Amino acid sequence: AQRRALRSVAGSERITWLAESLLLLARDARPQLVEALGLRAAIEEVCGELRKAQGALPEIDMVVAETALVHADATLLRLVLRNLLENAIRHGGGAPIRCELDGSRFAVLDRGPGFGALGPQAAFERFARSGQGAGSGLGLALVRHVCAACGWTVSARERDGGGACVEIDFGASVQG
């Protein structure tokens, strides 16, 4: 009974998340309160939320300095990080996921099958799905929408040796 209750709660949280995502895509996602946020702390917070919702996660290889700051709306930054990490977890095949910050460029890298026939750029289209997993096809569309509203640039590519890389250039919004 407890397991069924937990599945019901997780399912209703997923439906709520999907409804909120659709509403955000339908309206202008402008940052409301921009503040200096610790990027590593934000990633760790999102990983904690995902662990609570999904259980064990693959290893997260963090190459982000403790001192790295992003000037952003906390809600929008967490939304972007959550979508990137959920995609990497869903499609990464259980292999370690790498989060790295190089200058102003933040990347989430996995070792899954990559974007396949869909292609990296088409993955940002609404309802685009690679046919793997149970995703809605809104995650990367939402990431692109939020990044555009925040003045960030997002791109994707196949990784050498297999896997996917989604990268956000925070521009002048990042320090450290």
Side-chain angles (χ1 to χ4, degrees):
Q2 183 181 13
R3 195 172 36 227
R4 276 183 270 163
L6 290 174
R7 276 191 302 219
S8 293
V9 168
S12 63
E13 287 175 353
R14 183 74 184 148
I15 290 169
T16 300
W17 179 256
L18 181 59
E20 289 172 354
S21 297
L22 287 168
L23 286 171
L24 188 59
L25 279 170
R27 65 177 195 264
D28 205 11
R30 300 231 183 248
Q32 300 299 310
L33 176 62
V34 175
E35 55 189 325
L37 303 167
L39 180 58
R40 186 181 182 109
I43 295 166
E44 290 170 349
E45 181 181 332
V46 168
C47 286
E49 292 169 5
L50 292 172
R51 248 183 229 98
K52 183 179 173 188
Q54 299 179 15
L57 298 181
E59 177 185 335
I60 307 290
D61 181 20
M62 194 80 77
V63 187
V64 178
E66 294 278 346
T67 57
L69 298 175
V70 177
H71 294 274
D73 179 296
T75 301
L76 295 178
L77 178 63
R78 278 196 308 271
L79 186 143
V80 165
L81 293 173
R82 181 178 177 126
N83 278 303
L84 293 180
L85 288 166
E86 278 186 331
N87 274 351
I89 292 164
R90 182 179 298 119
H91 301 293
I97 295 165
R98 184 175 178 93
C99 295
E100 63 184 28
L101 180 66
D102 183 14
S104 65
R105 300 177 82 82
F106 170 71
V108 176
L109 305 101
D110 69 49
R111 283 291 178 195
F115 295 98
L118 185 63
Q121 297 318 308
F124 290 104
E125 297 302 319
R126 293 177 187 185
F127 305 109
R129 296 182 59 202
S130 63
Q132 306 152 8
S136 63
L138 292 173
L140 289 179
L142 191 57
V143 167
R144 180 180 63 182
H145 184 72
V146 169
C147 286
C150 293
W152 307 330
T153 306
V154 63
S155 60
R157 63 179 167 78
E158 301 281 350
R159 286 185 73 184
D160 293 336
C165 171
V166 180
E167 187 174 77
I168 297 172
D169 190 339
F170 289 118
S173 297
V174 74
Q175 296 174 336

